[in-house]
Amino acid sequence: MIGDLIPYLAPTVVLLLILGSAIKILPEYERGVVFFLGRFQGVKGPGLIIVIPGIQQIVRVDLRVIVLDVPSQDVISKDNVTVRVNAVLYFRVVDPERAIIRVEDFNSATSQLAQTTLRSVLGKHDLDEMLSERDKLNADIQEIIDAQTEEWGIKVANVEIKHVDLNESMIRAIARQAEAERERRAKVIHAEGELQASKKLVEAAEVMSANSGAMQLRYLQTLADMSSSNSSTIVFPLPMDMMKTFMEKQVKTQPSGEQG
């Protein structure tokens, strides 16, 4: 009886192999681009898909966000400083048909485009802008890449510059520049303090000049401050009005010939 089943064994195995290759199961995050005799037929999935072997072909496309590490690039900034910059790119396929038909390998194409765009955009900015305006540069790079990959059915979600590496000489130069900037700010703050203090002294002098008793009180306060410290200096306050009287008498007694 087993001998009677042998002629049917080979066709059964072939049929099972055909069915096994014809049945495709796509998860929720994948789509299948189906071609019928080389012509685009449609996008199918997720779930169970039947593909006729030899007549239909299917290309799987992952719709999840892909994280692409952009290799370090040598960039010459606008102020002629050479730096090495690397970044990370987040993108996903939104149109599987165009991602398969319009470009040969969308992963490689997006990577090459990200590298050239990174060099092009950063080369138009100074080193200070690369270090301080990173968010703006990320947005500019993302906008340029997204506009060019839209034809491939790819959406660029985000671009982040990770590192801006400088050589040792440039790091020392930036440190000297920062130190000089701090000294400049310190001098400006000190000068502003002197200006404000001088204005307050002028206001205080005007208040004291309006009342002669205020000046005398200030003399006494100065004596009290000096007496609190260990000092052997003796200070005798002399009213300014008395000095003014002596000056006027000296001018009156001076011969007219000497005034010339």
Side-chain angles (χ1 to χ4, degrees):
M1 185 166 180
I2 297 177
D4 296 337
L5 296 177
I6 292 178
Y8 301 99
L9 183 60
T12 303
V13 172
V14 173
L15 181 60
L16 291 176
L17 292 176
I18 293 176
L19 290 176
S21 61
I23 297 175
K24 306 292 182 182
I25 299 177
L26 299 181
E28 184 66 31
Y29 55 83
E30 282 188 354
R31 297 295 182 270
V33 180
V34 180
F35 295 90
F36 183 81
L37 296 178
R39 296 180 63 87
F40 172 74
Q41 185 177 10
V43 178
K44 297 183 179 182
L48 180 64
I49 299 175
I50 303 299
V51 179
I52 302 175
I55 298 178
Q56 291 180 317
Q57 296 84 32
I58 184 172
V59 180
R60 295 172 178 260
V61 180
D62 196 328
L63 301 184
R64 292 176 294 181
V65 175
I66 300 175
V67 181
L68 179 64
D69 189 12
V70 181
S72 298
Q73 302 294 310
D74 292 327
V75 179
I76 300 178
S77 64
K78 189 176 180 181
D79 51 351
N80 295 326
V81 178
T82 302
V83 296
R84 290 184 63 85
V85 183
N86 62 344
V88 60
L89 178 71
Y90 301 87
F91 70 96
R92 62 186 180 90
V93 177
V94 295
D95 190 340
E97 175 188 352
R98 288 189 291 176
I100 297 300
I101 297 176
R102 299 290 181 87
V103 61
E104 180 182 1
D105 185 354
F106 62 86
N107 283 302
S108 177
T110 304
S111 175
Q112 295 298 322
L113 179 61
Q115 296 178 37
T116 55
T117 305
L118 184 66
R119 292 194 299 267
S120 177
V121 172
L122 295 184
K124 298 178 182 178
H125 294 80
D126 297 334
L127 178 60
D128 293 339
E129 295 177 351
M130 294 184 192
L131 300 176
S132 61
E133 299 182 4
R134 190 168 296 184
D135 292 338
K136 180 179 180 299
L137 295 177
N138 292 337
D140 292 342
I141 297 172
Q142 184 266 337
E143 182 179 356
I144 293 174
I145 299 177
D146 186 46
Q148 298 189 35
T149 57
E150 183 179 2
E151 185 180 357
W152 304 341
I154 294 174
K155 174 63 179 178
V156 178
N158 194 15
V159 177
E160 292 290 339
I161 298 175
K162 295 196 297 184
H163 298 291
V164 179
D165 298 329
L166 305 172
N167 54 39
E168 292 296 331
S169 61
M170 184 54 60
I171 294 176
R172 290 193 296 268
I174 293 176
R176 291 194 299 269
Q177 180 182 0
E179 183 179 359
E181 178 65 19
R182 288 194 296 270
E183 292 179 355
R184 183 189 69 83
R185 293 179 181 177
K187 291 179 180 179
V188 170
I189 294 173
H190 180 72
E192 290 179 352
E194 292 291 339
L195 177 60
Q196 294 176 5
S198 63
K199 291 181 179 179
K200 294 299 180 182
L201 288 175
V202 171
E203 293 177 3
E206 291 177 353
V207 172
M208 290 182 179
S209 63
N211 191 344
S212 59
M215 183 64 71
Q216 188 67 25
L217 291 175
R218 184 58 184 165
Y219 281 145
L220 296 176
Q221 181 64 40
T222 303
L223 289 175
D225 294 338
M226 296 181 65
S227 62
S228 62
S229 61
N230 296 325
S231 175
S232 60
T233 304
I234 299 175
V235 180
F236 179 75
L238 185 64
M240 297 299 297
D241 295 339
M242 185 181 296
M243 292 296 299
K244 184 177 180 181
T245 303
F246 287 141
M247 294 289 294
E248 290 177 352
K249 289 182 178 180
Q250 184 179 3
V251 172
K252 290 180 179 180
T253 58
Q254 187 176 5
S256 60
E258 293 181 3
Q259 293 181 0

